[in-house]
Amino acid sequence: KLGLLTDKAEIGQVGKIAGTIDRLRFTQKTYHSELVKEIRWTPEEAAHTKDGIDLALIDLKPSEKVGFELAKQWPLMEMVASLKGGRAIEKMTRELLETDSAIGLITAPEVSPLTYFNGGRFYQRLWLYCTKIGLDWHPIPATLYAFLRLDHEKSSTMPETMQTELTPLSQQFQTLFSTTPETGCVLLMRLVPARKLPLASYRRPVEEVLFFE
């Protein structure tokens, strides 16, 4: 099912949660490495791979783009982490979400592969419908990835300091959306009025991603 937050104060709380998680992703080595691999840092890389997050498509101010380029370097972010810095990362995410009309969460009763498969089908139908009526849905995947790891595999993959900071955020999130650690949270999304973008995401050919046995 789809749950929506439209109250500005609640949207602001989600922005603070998502911002904190973005800061943690940049300042924890394993998560920083994953993040750097997700981003396509140049137009040439984006055109070659046709996947990942194209940096050119992220709505960034020039100063924020420079900050992203600097944040790519782990030694620099390791120093930022040692100084307990990174608040500018939180601020960027928080301010972005504060402009949203709504925040949506697709959920199912349990955490399972089938839940995420069917949730993806539901999201595709929702996305197509919203496009038809002039609304854009922008996924916020990192927040749910962090909570899923916290609740189901924290002992093997998540530093204790990160667990300590994420635990109260997870509780706040559950209160906002009336979920539990056992709820299948499929996708968190931003709802904004549709606007024409100067660039479009690359798409890999269907035959490269869909196989039948």
Side-chain angles (χ1 to χ4, degrees):
K1 68 178 183 178
L2 173 66
L4 287 174
L5 298 181
T6 56
D7 179 79
K8 283 297 183 182
E10 293 180 336
I11 292 174
Q13 289 182 58
V14 176
K16 291 178 182 178
I17 292 169
T20 301
I21 289 172
D22 280 349
R23 171 177 57 78
L24 290 170
R25 292 186 81 204
F26 273 103
T27 55
Q28 297 285 340
K29 187 173 184 179
T30 299
Y31 295 85
H32 178 272
S33 177
E34 291 177 358
L35 178 62
V36 168
K37 290 176 182 178
E38 288 175 9
I39 296 176
R40 302 297 169 249
W41 296 90
T42 66
E44 293 76 18
E45 185 182 10
H48 176 70
T49 62
K50 294 183 173 61
D51 60 13
I53 302 170
D54 187 346
L55 184 62
L57 296 180
I58 303 176
D59 193 10
L60 297 173
K61 302 172 185 175
S63 60
E64 292 171 342
K65 188 169 183 180
V66 171
F68 252 80
E69 294 285 355
L70 292 173
K72 181 181 179 181
Q73 305 171 48
W74 171 245
L76 176 60
M77 296 313 297
E78 185 177 30
M79 182 177 68
V80 170
S82 70
L83 297 172
K84 301 189 183 302
R87 303 300 170 182
I89 298 171
E90 288 187 30
K91 181 174 180 287
M92 184 174 66
T93 301
R94 185 180 70 248
E95 290 182 347
L96 179 64
L97 268 64
E98 285 174 351
T99 66
D100 296 344
S101 303
I103 300 290
L105 177 67
I106 297 174
T107 61
E110 64 179 4
V111 177
S112 70
L114 184 60
T115 288
Y116 293 103
F117 177 78
N118 287 328
R121 297 174 65 196
F122 177 85
Y123 179 55
Q124 184 181 45
R125 293 194 296 269
L126 175 64
W127 198 336
L128 291 172
Y129 175 74
C130 287
T131 300
K132 182 178 179 181
I133 63 174
L135 296 175
D136 277 349
W137 285 106
H138 297 287
I140 318 171
T143 299
L144 296 187
Y145 292 165
F147 291 152
L148 190 64
R149 282 175 160 173
L150 176 70
D151 293 330
H152 296 278
E153 52 182 67
K154 60 185 177 184
S155 60
S156 60
T157 64
M158 185 174 288
E160 188 174 344
T161 54
M162 191 171 180
Q163 293 179 39
T164 299
E165 196 160 358
L166 279 180
T167 297
L169 298 181
S170 177
Q171 294 167 351
Q172 291 174 31
F173 187 86
Q174 290 169 26
T175 299
L176 285 167
F177 286 100
S178 300
T179 61
T180 73
E182 303 310 315
T183 301
C185 294
V186 177
L187 201 61
L188 185 67
M189 305 159 290
R190 304 171 50 224
L191 172 63
V192 296
R195 60 188 178 91
K196 187 173 179 60
L197 298 174
L199 299 171
S201 299
Y202 289 100
R203 293 290 185 270
R204 296 174 67 182
V206 173
E207 58 269 19
E208 289 187 10
V209 296
L210 181 63
F211 304 92
F212 295 97
E213 295 183 355

